[in-house]
Amino acid sequence: MRVLHTADWHLGQHFLTGQERLTEQRAFLDWLLATVQAEGVEALVLAGDVFDTTTPSHAAQELYYDFLVRLQGTGCRDVVIVGGNHDSPTLLNASRRLLRALRIHVVGGVPADPSEQLIELPGASGRPGLVVCAVPFLRDRDLHLAVAGETPDERQLRIRDSIAGHYLALSEHDLVRRLREQDVPVLATGHLYAAGGEAREGAERDVHIGGLGVIAAEHFPATFDYVALGHLHRPQVVGGRAHIRYSGSPVPLSFTEADDKQQVLLLDFAGAGVPTITPLPVPVTRRLQRFHGELDEVEAAILAFDNEGFRLVAWADVLVRSDEPSPEVQRRVQAALKERRAQVLAPRGVRQHRLTEAPDMAGPASEAPLEHLHQLTVEEVFSRRVAGLPPERAAQLTATFRELRQLLAEADPLAWGGEEFAG
């Protein structure tokens, strides 16, 4: 069976100062449809973060459903979609029964009956071709994490054991065992941060404070022939095991991802065992570009910038390291940007770092660029408020804060304006 693994679409994302990404995301989905058809993909697996917030816009939802409708004409027989930490399980599951009639299997959150995470997909002959352990993002309530008085280390250990136990229970289910004995391959999904994965600052934050890398490659049962992961936006292999992979985000979602190579993964299963894995590069329609350096370097780089080959005007992150007066820096860089405005725009303006401290300024404050409150997430504001506390106390408070935010956001998403609450 031929399967395509993708994740982290983040439909409806607004970039930095509010620029929407739907044009780029629509271009990716058009390419994906053509690729599914051209490659003869029989099953599509989406490993979480369909949307960027728990309250996606109508335009983002329309893009999602339009893609699923058009996918029906490609020859792809089945689709498996699991929820990520950005997704609302309730929203994803609202259309679950209707989509099942189109052989689109949605697991927005952990169901009351764990066996509902097991999905048997038929092959072209009608016989079982693949069994999917469709595990969504595991929220705190799924892992029963609230234990009074436990230390951060104890909490981390219990998170790891709970996640590993969840996967082990599915791998030992009678359906999985029976099909595996019939030489049917087993694929598991996950939306988490696995040890050894490279997270990008500002792009993916650990979904369990104090628990970075709580699950490692060895915690996935050997029964799984392939583990399709989401959450980390850079394509990568976990723990040196080629069959445990993050597909990465198909559209670069921040300047920290400017140099990543976007891709999806094509999997060819020939019975039980690790599939043949082929990365398929995703064409990028909008380039994210960094111009960092001294004033002369940045000015020259902008004037020489060539956006040929990209359909949309590039977005730039401009950081000038200079002791020149700020008005002069702004004048020169803005003039260069104006001259190249058909090629590149700077959505958040021009930032400046001084090379030396001003005589009337001392201490760390002069080493960092000025930040405004509206540029920070609620999570970032809280983390700075507890930064001066003892590490153990900060970890306990942050864990409680995240659990409260999660419960409030799920009970009343509008109370948070649809803002992400877990990275």
Side-chain angles (χ1 to χ4, degrees), residues 272-319:
V274 175
T276 300
I277 304 168
T278 307
L280 301 179
V282 176
V284 176
T285 54
R286 188 189 304 280
R287 189 175 178 184
L288 300 184
Q289 179 69 30
R290 281 173 159 173
F291 295 112
H292 290 188
E294 296 186 7
L295 180 56
D296 289 344
E297 297 172 331
V298 169
E299 183 181 42
I302 293 173
L303 291 172
F305 181 72
D306 186 358
N307 196 46
E308 185 177 358
F310 293 85
R311 205 175 86 193
L312 301 175
V313 174
W315 286 340
D317 175 46
V318 183
L319 174 62

mmCIF file of all heavy atoms in Angstrom, residues 272-319:
data_model
loop_
_atom_site.group_PDB
_atom_site.id
_atom_site.type_symbol
_atom_site.label_atom_id
_atom_site.label_comp_id
_atom_site.label_asym_id
_atom_site.label_seq_id
_atom_site.Cartn_x
_atom_site.Cartn_y
_atom_site.Cartn_z
ATOM 1 N N ALA A 272 4.115 -6.477 6.229
ATOM 2 C CA ALA A 272 4.652 -5.990 7.491
ATOM 3 C C ALA A 272 6.142 -5.697 7.342
ATOM 4 O O ALA A 272 6.850 -6.370 6.598
ATOM 5 C CB ALA A 272 4.410 -7.017 8.585
ATOM 6 N N GLY A 273 6.598 -4.697 8.076
ATOM 7 C CA GLY A 273 7.995 -4.291 7.993
ATOM 8 C C GLY A 273 8.101 -2.823 7.635
ATOM 9 O O GLY A 273 7.132 -2.193 7.200
ATOM 10 N N VAL A 274 9.291 -2.270 7.824
ATOM 11 C CA VAL A 274 9.518 -0.852 7.547
ATOM 12 C C VAL A 274 9.286 -0.574 6.060
ATOM 13 O O VAL A 274 9.802 -1.298 5.204
ATOM 14 C CB VAL A 274 10.948 -0.445 7.948
ATOM 15 C CG1 VAL A 274 11.235 0.998 7.563
ATOM 16 C CG2 VAL A 274 11.158 -0.654 9.439
ATOM 17 N N PRO A 275 8.525 0.468 5.736
ATOM 18 C CA PRO A 275 8.257 0.766 4.330
ATOM 19 C C PRO A 275 9.451 1.436 3.662
ATOM 20 O O PRO A 275 10.384 1.907 4.318
ATOM 21 C CB PRO A 275 7.075 1.734 4.409
ATOM 22 C CG PRO A 275 7.291 2.462 5.701
ATOM 23 C CD PRO A 275 7.845 1.418 6.648
ATOM 24 N N THR A 276 9.396 1.497 2.352
ATOM 25 C CA THR A 276 10.329 2.341 1.609
ATOM 26 C C THR A 276 9.851 3.779 1.756
ATOM 27 O O THR A 276 8.682 4.079 1.519
ATOM 28 C CB THR A 276 10.364 1.947 0.124
ATOM 29 O OG1 THR A 276 10.776 0.585 0.014
ATOM 30 C CG2 THR A 276 11.316 2.840 -0.653
ATOM 31 N N ILE A 277 10.746 4.674 2.168
ATOM 32 C CA ILE A 277 10.368 6.047 2.496
ATOM 33 C C ILE A 277 11.007 7.002 1.495
ATOM 34 O O ILE A 277 12.229 7.019 1.319
ATOM 35 C CB ILE A 277 10.811 6.412 3.927
ATOM 36 C CG1 ILE A 277 10.225 5.416 4.929
ATOM 37 C CG2 ILE A 277 10.403 7.845 4.277
ATOM 38 C CD1 ILE A 277 10.833 5.504 6.316
ATOM 39 N N THR A 278 10.164 7.796 0.817
ATOM 40 C CA THR A 278 10.641 8.738 -0.191
ATOM 41 C C THR A 278 10.177 10.149 0.144
ATOM 42 O O THR A 278 8.968 10.423 0.106
ATOM 43 C CB THR A 278 10.120 8.357 -1.592
ATOM 44 O OG1 THR A 278 10.437 6.998 -1.877
ATOM 45 C CG2 THR A 278 10.725 9.270 -2.654
ATOM 46 N N PRO A 279 11.081 11.054 0.508
ATOM 47 C CA PRO A 279 10.682 12.449 0.726
ATOM 48 C C PRO A 279 10.319 13.122 -0.597
ATOM 49 O O PRO A 279 11.028 12.960 -1.596
ATOM 50 C CB PRO A 279 11.931 13.091 1.342
ATOM 51 C CG PRO A 279 12.802 11.951 1.770
ATOM 52 C CD PRO A 279 12.505 10.842 0.817
ATOM 53 N N LEU A 280 9.231 13.847 -0.605
ATOM 54 C CA LEU A 280 8.811 14.602 -1.780
ATOM 55 C C LEU A 280 8.891 16.095 -1.436
ATOM 56 O O LEU A 280 8.150 16.572 -0.572
ATOM 57 C CB LEU A 280 7.377 14.239 -2.184
ATOM 58 C CG LEU A 280 7.099 12.773 -2.531
ATOM 59 C CD1 LEU A 280 5.626 12.584 -2.895
ATOM 60 C CD2 LEU A 280 7.988 12.311 -3.680
ATOM 61 N N PRO A 281 9.772 16.854 -2.083
ATOM 62 C CA PRO A 281 9.900 18.289 -1.776
ATOM 63 C C PRO A 281 8.614 19.045 -2.118
ATOM 64 O O PRO A 281 7.999 18.805 -3.157
ATOM 65 C CB PRO A 281 11.061 18.745 -2.665
ATOM 66 C CG PRO A 281 11.765 17.486 -3.070
ATOM 67 C CD PRO A 281 10.729 16.406 -3.108
ATOM 68 N N VAL A 282 8.228 19.938 -1.224
ATOM 69 C CA VAL A 282 7.049 20.774 -1.443
ATOM 70 C C VAL A 282 7.497 22.127 -1.987
ATOM 71 O O VAL A 282 8.346 22.788 -1.374
ATOM 72 C CB VAL A 282 6.261 20.987 -0.134
ATOM 73 C CG1 VAL A 282 5.090 21.941 -0.356
ATOM 74 C CG2 VAL A 282 5.762 19.652 0.409
ATOM 75 N N PRO A 283 6.961 22.547 -3.134
ATOM 76 C CA PRO A 283 7.339 23.871 -3.648
ATOM 77 C C PRO A 283 6.832 24.976 -2.726
ATOM 78 O O PRO A 283 5.695 24.941 -2.270
ATOM 79 C CB PRO A 283 6.655 23.930 -5.019
ATOM 80 C CG PRO A 283 5.548 22.922 -4.958
ATOM 81 C CD PRO A 283 6.012 21.846 -4.021
ATOM 82 N N VAL A 284 7.686 25.935 -2.428
ATOM 83 C CA VAL A 284 7.332 27.048 -1.550
ATOM 84 C C VAL A 284 6.963 28.246 -2.409
ATOM 85 O O VAL A 284 7.712 28.620 -3.318
ATOM 86 C CB VAL A 284 8.505 27.402 -0.609
ATOM 87 C CG1 VAL A 284 8.184 28.627 0.235
ATOM 88 C CG2 VAL A 284 8.820 26.213 0.284
ATOM 89 N N THR A 285 5.810 28.833 -2.140
ATOM 90 C CA THR A 285 5.348 29.959 -2.953
ATOM 91 C C THR A 285 5.799 31.308 -2.398
ATOM 92 O O THR A 285 5.898 32.275 -3.141
ATOM 93 C CB THR A 285 3.817 29.954 -3.069
ATOM 94 O OG1 THR A 285 3.252 29.911 -1.751
ATOM 95 C CG2 THR A 285 3.339 28.743 -3.847
ATOM 96 N N ARG A 286 6.030 31.373 -1.064
ATOM 97 C CA ARG A 286 6.524 32.611 -0.476
ATOM 98 C C ARG A 286 7.794 32.322 0.319
ATOM 99 O O ARG A 286 7.806 31.502 1.221
ATOM 100 C CB ARG A 286 5.488 33.256 0.438
ATOM 101 C CG ARG A 286 5.949 34.653 0.904
ATOM 102 C CD ARG A 286 5.071 35.246 1.974
ATOM 103 N NE ARG A 286 3.693 35.350 1.632
ATOM 104 C CZ ARG A 286 3.131 36.297 0.881
ATOM 105 N NH1 ARG A 286 3.900 37.243 0.351
ATOM 106 N NH2 ARG A 286 1.838 36.296 0.646
ATOM 107 N N ARG A 287 8.821 33.041 -0.009
ATOM 108 C CA ARG A 287 10.118 32.854 0.637
ATOM 109 C C ARG A 287 10.185 33.697 1.913
ATOM 110 O O ARG A 287 9.777 34.862 1.923
ATOM 111 C CB ARG A 287 11.197 33.292 -0.338
ATOM 112 C CG ARG A 287 12.624 32.991 0.038
ATOM 113 C CD ARG A 287 13.486 33.413 -1.154
ATOM 114 N NE ARG A 287 14.909 33.224 -0.914
ATOM 115 C CZ ARG A 287 15.841 33.596 -1.788
ATOM 116 N NH1 ARG A 287 15.476 34.161 -2.922
ATOM 117 N NH2 ARG A 287 17.106 33.392 -1.522
ATOM 118 N N LEU A 288 10.681 33.108 2.992
ATOM 119 C CA LEU A 288 10.986 33.841 4.211
ATOM 120 C C LEU A 288 12.495 34.060 4.248
ATOM 121 O O LEU A 288 13.259 33.103 4.170
ATOM 122 C CB LEU A 288 10.519 33.080 5.440
ATOM 123 C CG LEU A 288 9.015 32.767 5.531
ATOM 124 C CD1 LEU A 288 8.695 32.088 6.853
ATOM 125 C CD2 LEU A 288 8.172 34.025 5.356
ATOM 126 N N GLN A 289 12.902 35.308 4.361
ATOM 127 C CA GLN A 289 14.317 35.650 4.219
ATOM 128 C C GLN A 289 14.795 36.460 5.416
ATOM 129 O O GLN A 289 14.101 37.367 5.886
ATOM 130 C CB GLN A 289 14.515 36.473 2.936
ATOM 131 C CG GLN A 289 15.934 36.924 2.686
ATOM 132 C CD GLN A 289 16.858 35.767 2.343
ATOM 133 O OE1 GLN A 289 16.430 34.767 1.758
ATOM 134 N NE2 GLN A 289 18.124 35.883 2.682
ATOM 135 N N ARG A 290 15.973 36.149 5.902
ATOM 136 C CA ARG A 290 16.569 36.916 6.984
ATOM 137 C C ARG A 290 17.669 37.815 6.440
ATOM 138 O O ARG A 290 18.557 37.354 5.724
ATOM 139 C CB ARG A 290 17.152 35.982 8.042
ATOM 140 C CG ARG A 290 16.132 35.384 8.986
ATOM 141 C CD ARG A 290 16.788 34.359 9.871
ATOM 142 N NE ARG A 290 16.020 34.122 11.089
ATOM 143 C CZ ARG A 290 16.292 33.183 11.971
ATOM 144 N NH1 ARG A 290 17.331 32.395 11.784
ATOM 145 N NH2 ARG A 290 15.551 33.022 13.053
ATOM 146 N N PHE A 291 17.628 39.089 6.812
ATOM 147 C CA PHE A 291 18.717 40.019 6.538
ATOM 148 C C PHE A 291 19.268 40.466 7.888
ATOM 149 O O PHE A 291 18.737 41.392 8.517
ATOM 150 C CB PHE A 291 18.227 41.227 5.735
ATOM 151 C CG PHE A 291 17.732 40.896 4.358
ATOM 152 C CD1 PHE A 291 16.390 41.022 4.043
ATOM 153 C CD2 PHE A 291 18.608 40.465 3.368
ATOM 154 C CE1 PHE A 291 15.927 40.727 2.772
ATOM 155 C CE2 PHE A 291 18.157 40.162 2.091
ATOM 156 C CZ PHE A 291 16.805 40.285 1.788
ATOM 157 N N HIS A 292 20.306 39.817 8.359
ATOM 158 C CA HIS A 292 20.923 40.118 9.647
ATOM 159 C C HIS A 292 22.376 40.512 9.404
ATOM 160 O O HIS A 292 23.095 39.830 8.667
ATOM 161 C CB HIS A 292 20.874 38.911 10.588
ATOM 162 C CG HIS A 292 19.507 38.573 11.075
ATOM 163 N ND1 HIS A 292 19.288 37.617 12.054
ATOM 164 C CD2 HIS A 292 18.281 39.042 10.738
ATOM 165 C CE1 HIS A 292 17.989 37.528 12.287
ATOM 166 N NE2 HIS A 292 17.361 38.370 11.497
ATOM 167 N N GLY A 293 22.824 41.604 10.011
ATOM 168 C CA GLY A 293 24.215 41.999 9.868
ATOM 169 C C GLY A 293 24.393 43.471 10.131
ATOM 170 O O GLY A 293 23.492 44.156 10.623
ATOM 171 N N GLU A 294 25.588 43.957 9.791
ATOM 172 C CA GLU A 294 25.852 45.378 9.941
ATOM 173 C C GLU A 294 25.122 46.156 8.853
ATOM 174 O O GLU A 294 24.677 45.587 7.845
ATOM 175 C CB GLU A 294 27.355 45.630 9.909
ATOM 176 C CG GLU A 294 28.078 44.972 11.084
ATOM 177 C CD GLU A 294 29.552 45.332 11.143
ATOM 178 O OE1 GLU A 294 29.993 46.195 10.357
ATOM 179 O OE2 GLU A 294 30.268 44.751 11.990
ATOM 180 N N LEU A 295 25.033 47.463 9.042
ATOM 181 C CA LEU A 295 24.178 48.285 8.184
ATOM 182 C C LEU A 295 24.541 48.162 6.708
ATOM 183 O O LEU A 295 23.657 47.949 5.855
ATOM 184 C CB LEU A 295 24.258 49.748 8.635
ATOM 185 C CG LEU A 295 23.426 50.758 7.839
ATOM 186 C CD1 LEU A 295 21.957 50.362 7.809
ATOM 187 C CD2 LEU A 295 23.592 52.154 8.445
ATOM 188 N N ASP A 296 25.809 48.262 6.375
ATOM 189 C CA ASP A 296 26.219 48.173 4.964
ATOM 190 C C ASP A 296 25.865 46.806 4.378
ATOM 191 O O ASP A 296 25.428 46.706 3.220
ATOM 192 C CB ASP A 296 27.721 48.421 4.824
ATOM 193 C CG ASP A 296 28.101 49.878 5.073
ATOM 194 O OD1 ASP A 296 27.194 50.738 5.047
ATOM 195 O OD2 ASP A 296 29.296 50.151 5.305
ATOM 196 N N GLU A 297 26.068 45.740 5.179
ATOM 197 C CA GLU A 297 25.776 44.380 4.708
ATOM 198 C C GLU A 297 24.287 44.197 4.437
ATOM 199 O O GLU A 297 23.898 43.639 3.406
ATOM 200 C CB GLU A 297 26.236 43.352 5.748
ATOM 201 C CG GLU A 297 27.732 43.334 6.001
ATOM 202 C CD GLU A 297 28.098 42.439 7.170
ATOM 203 O OE1 GLU A 297 27.274 42.274 8.101
ATOM 204 O OE2 GLU A 297 29.211 41.888 7.153
ATOM 205 N N VAL A 298 23.463 44.644 5.371
ATOM 206 C CA VAL A 298 22.016 44.487 5.216
ATOM 207 C C VAL A 298 21.511 45.281 4.022
ATOM 208 O O VAL A 298 20.730 44.789 3.194
ATOM 209 C CB VAL A 298 21.290 44.921 6.508
ATOM 210 C CG1 VAL A 298 19.784 45.019 6.277
ATOM 211 C CG2 VAL A 298 21.593 43.937 7.633
ATOM 212 N N GLU A 299 21.970 46.516 3.905
ATOM 213 C CA GLU A 299 21.540 47.367 2.791
ATOM 214 C C GLU A 299 21.913 46.729 1.457
ATOM 215 O O GLU A 299 21.087 46.653 0.530
ATOM 216 C CB GLU A 299 22.194 48.736 2.932
ATOM 217 C CG GLU A 299 21.765 49.748 1.881
ATOM 218 C CD GLU A 299 22.464 51.084 2.071
ATOM 219 O OE1 GLU A 299 23.698 51.066 2.352
ATOM 220 O OE2 GLU A 299 21.797 52.118 1.953
ATOM 221 N N ALA A 300 23.143 46.237 1.344
ATOM 222 C CA ALA A 300 23.599 45.621 0.093
ATOM 223 C C ALA A 300 22.835 44.336 -0.209
ATOM 224 O O ALA A 300 22.487 44.062 -1.367
ATOM 225 C CB ALA A 300 25.099 45.345 0.167
ATOM 226 N N ALA A 301 22.577 43.539 0.832
ATOM 227 C CA ALA A 301 21.863 42.269 0.631
ATOM 228 C C ALA A 301 20.441 42.505 0.144
ATOM 229 O O ALA A 301 19.940 41.772 -0.726
ATOM 230 C CB ALA A 301 21.858 41.469 1.928
ATOM 231 N N ILE A 302 19.777 43.520 0.683
ATOM 232 C CA ILE A 302 18.408 43.822 0.238
ATOM 233 C C ILE A 302 18.416 44.279 -1.220
ATOM 234 O O ILE A 302 17.594 43.828 -2.032
ATOM 235 C CB ILE A 302 17.776 44.892 1.148
ATOM 236 C CG1 ILE A 302 17.554 44.327 2.552
ATOM 237 C CG2 ILE A 302 16.454 45.398 0.558
ATOM 238 C CD1 ILE A 302 17.097 45.355 3.565
ATOM 239 N N LEU A 303 19.329 45.156 -1.559
ATOM 240 C CA LEU A 303 19.383 45.674 -2.926
ATOM 241 C C LEU A 303 19.727 44.583 -3.936
ATOM 242 O O LEU A 303 19.338 44.667 -5.107
ATOM 243 C CB LEU A 303 20.408 46.807 -3.008
ATOM 244 C CG LEU A 303 20.009 48.097 -2.272
ATOM 245 C CD1 LEU A 303 21.171 49.082 -2.249
ATOM 246 C CD2 LEU A 303 18.777 48.728 -2.925
ATOM 247 N N ALA A 304 20.457 43.542 -3.490
ATOM 248 C CA ALA A 304 20.851 42.449 -4.398
ATOM 249 C C ALA A 304 19.868 41.283 -4.370
ATOM 250 O O ALA A 304 20.048 40.307 -5.110
ATOM 251 C CB ALA A 304 22.246 41.959 -4.025
ATOM 252 N N PHE A 305 18.841 41.366 -3.546
ATOM 253 C CA PHE A 305 17.947 40.218 -3.354
ATOM 254 C C PHE A 305 17.151 39.924 -4.615
ATOM 255 O O PHE A 305 16.580 40.817 -5.238
ATOM 256 C CB PHE A 305 16.985 40.491 -2.202
ATOM 257 C CG PHE A 305 16.041 39.353 -1.911
ATOM 258 C CD1 PHE A 305 16.497 38.186 -1.324
ATOM 259 C CD2 PHE A 305 14.695 39.440 -2.248
ATOM 260 C CE1 PHE A 305 15.648 37.142 -1.056
ATOM 261 C CE2 PHE A 305 13.830 38.398 -1.992
ATOM 262 C CZ PHE A 305 14.305 37.240 -1.394
ATOM 263 N N ASP A 306 17.112 38.660 -4.992
ATOM 264 C CA ASP A 306 16.384 38.210 -6.183
ATOM 265 C C ASP A 306 15.354 37.177 -5.765
ATOM 266 O O ASP A 306 15.706 36.126 -5.238
ATOM 267 C CB ASP A 306 17.366 37.609 -7.195
ATOM 268 C CG ASP A 306 16.695 37.248 -8.512
ATOM 269 O OD1 ASP A 306 15.458 37.422 -8.638
ATOM 270 O OD2 ASP A 306 17.403 36.771 -9.428
ATOM 271 N N ASN A 307 14.099 37.465 -5.995
ATOM 272 C CA ASN A 307 13.005 36.566 -5.603
ATOM 273 C C ASN A 307 12.518 35.702 -6.763
ATOM 274 O O ASN A 307 11.432 35.120 -6.697
ATOM 275 C CB ASN A 307 11.848 37.400 -5.038
ATOM 276 C CG ASN A 307 10.852 36.559 -4.264
ATOM 277 O OD1 ASN A 307 11.233 35.730 -3.446
ATOM 278 N ND2 ASN A 307 9.567 36.756 -4.537
ATOM 279 N N GLU A 308 13.307 35.615 -7.803
ATOM 280 C CA GLU A 308 12.888 34.848 -8.983
ATOM 281 C C GLU A 308 12.609 33.392 -8.606
ATOM 282 O O GLU A 308 13.342 32.776 -7.836
ATOM 283 C CB GLU A 308 13.975 34.901 -10.059
ATOM 284 C CG GLU A 308 13.571 34.225 -11.359
ATOM 285 C CD GLU A 308 14.634 34.346 -12.437
ATOM 286 O OE1 GLU A 308 15.670 34.997 -12.174
ATOM 287 O OE2 GLU A 308 14.436 33.783 -13.524
ATOM 288 N N GLY A 309 11.552 32.853 -9.162
ATOM 289 C CA GLY A 309 11.177 31.472 -8.899
ATOM 290 C C GLY A 309 10.136 31.319 -7.817
ATOM 291 O O GLY A 309 9.626 30.214 -7.600
ATOM 292 N N PHE A 310 9.809 32.393 -7.137
ATOM 293 C CA PHE A 310 8.782 32.357 -6.094
ATOM 294 C C PHE A 310 7.587 33.200 -6.544
ATOM 295 O O PHE A 310 7.759 34.338 -7.008
ATOM 296 C CB PHE A 310 9.326 32.880 -4.767
ATOM 297 C CG PHE A 310 10.384 31.993 -4.168
ATOM 298 C CD1 PHE A 310 11.708 32.117 -4.549
ATOM 299 C CD2 PHE A 310 10.046 31.003 -3.248
ATOM 300 C CE1 PHE A 310 12.689 31.293 -4.016
ATOM 301 C CE2 PHE A 310 11.012 30.174 -2.710
ATOM 302 C CZ PHE A 310 12.333 30.317 -3.097
ATOM 303 N N ARG A 311 6.410 32.635 -6.390
ATOM 304 C CA ARG A 311 5.205 33.271 -6.913
ATOM 305 C C ARG A 311 4.816 34.529 -6.153
ATOM 306 O O ARG A 311 4.290 35.476 -6.725
ATOM 307 C CB ARG A 311 4.048 32.266 -6.866
ATOM 308 C CG ARG A 311 2.956 32.533 -7.866
ATOM 309 C CD ARG A 311 1.933 31.432 -7.835
ATOM 310 N NE ARG A 311 0.911 31.652 -6.830
ATOM 311 C CZ ARG A 311 0.051 30.742 -6.431
ATOM 312 N NH1 ARG A 311 0.118 29.538 -6.928
ATOM 313 N NH2 ARG A 311 -0.855 31.015 -5.527
ATOM 314 N N LEU A 312 5.052 34.538 -4.850
ATOM 315 C CA LEU A 312 4.636 35.649 -3.997
ATOM 316 C C LEU A 312 5.835 36.457 -3.512
ATOM 317 O O LEU A 312 6.947 35.937 -3.410
ATOM 318 C CB LEU A 312 3.857 35.111 -2.787
ATOM 319 C CG LEU A 312 2.596 34.291 -3.110
ATOM 320 C CD1 LEU A 312 1.999 33.716 -1.836
ATOM 321 C CD2 LEU A 312 1.568 35.135 -3.847
ATOM 322 N N VAL A 313 5.601 37.718 -3.214
ATOM 323 C CA VAL A 313 6.650 38.588 -2.685
ATOM 324 C C VAL A 313 7.191 37.998 -1.390
ATOM 325 O O VAL A 313 6.446 37.511 -0.544
ATOM 326 C CB VAL A 313 6.081 39.999 -2.428
ATOM 327 C CG1 VAL A 313 7.115 40.877 -1.743
ATOM 328 C CG2 VAL A 313 5.645 40.639 -3.742
ATOM 329 N N ALA A 314 8.504 38.015 -1.226
ATOM 330 C CA ALA A 314 9.143 37.465 -0.032
ATOM 331 C C ALA A 314 8.854 38.342 1.181
ATOM 332 O O ALA A 314 8.645 39.552 1.070
ATOM 333 C CB ALA A 314 10.647 37.353 -0.254
ATOM 334 N N TRP A 315 8.862 37.713 2.372
ATOM 335 C CA TRP A 315 8.782 38.439 3.634
ATOM 336 C C TRP A 315 10.143 38.333 4.312
ATOM 337 O O TRP A 315 10.746 37.262 4.377
ATOM 338 C CB TRP A 315 7.700 37.852 4.534
ATOM 339 C CG TRP A 315 6.306 38.197 4.090
ATOM 340 C CD1 TRP A 315 5.937 39.215 3.271
ATOM 341 C CD2 TRP A 315 5.100 37.518 4.452
ATOM 342 N NE1 TRP A 315 4.577 39.217 3.090
ATOM 343 C CE2 TRP A 315 4.039 38.190 3.812
ATOM 344 C CE3 TRP A 315 4.824 36.420 5.255
ATOM 345 C CZ2 TRP A 315 2.710 37.795 3.948
ATOM 346 C CZ3 TRP A 315 3.501 36.014 5.396
ATOM 347 C CH2 TRP A 315 2.459 36.699 4.753
ATOM 348 N N ALA A 316 10.596 39.472 4.844
ATOM 349 C CA ALA A 316 11.938 39.520 5.404
ATOM 350 C C ALA A 316 11.927 39.873 6.881
ATOM 351 O O ALA A 316 11.096 40.654 7.348
ATOM 352 C CB ALA A 316 12.790 40.533 4.644
ATOM 353 N N ASP A 317 12.880 39.285 7.597
ATOM 354 C CA ASP A 317 13.180 39.656 8.978
ATOM 355 C C ASP A 317 14.477 40.456 8.921
ATOM 356 O O ASP A 317 15.529 39.917 8.561
ATOM 357 C CB ASP A 317 13.342 38.395 9.829
ATOM 358 C CG ASP A 317 13.781 38.728 11.250
ATOM 359 O OD1 ASP A 317 13.201 39.653 11.842
ATOM 360 O OD2 ASP A 317 14.713 38.065 11.751
ATOM 361 N N VAL A 318 14.404 41.743 9.256
ATOM 362 C CA VAL A 318 15.550 42.636 9.104
ATOM 363 C C VAL A 318 16.081 43.031 10.481
ATOM 364 O O VAL A 318 15.355 43.619 11.293
ATOM 365 C CB VAL A 318 15.168 43.904 8.311
ATOM 366 C CG1 VAL A 318 16.397 44.778 8.102
ATOM 367 C CG2 VAL A 318 14.545 43.527 6.965
ATOM 368 N N LEU A 319 17.338 42.701 10.737
ATOM 369 C CA LEU A 319 17.990 43.039 12.001
ATOM 370 C C LEU A 319 19.350 43.666 11.695
ATOM 371 O O LEU A 319 20.224 43.019 11.125
ATOM 372 C CB LEU A 319 18.172 41.785 12.862
ATOM 373 C CG LEU A 319 18.963 41.970 14.159
ATOM 374 C CD1 LEU A 319 18.266 42.954 15.092
ATOM 375 C CD2 LEU A 319 19.159 40.632 14.859
#
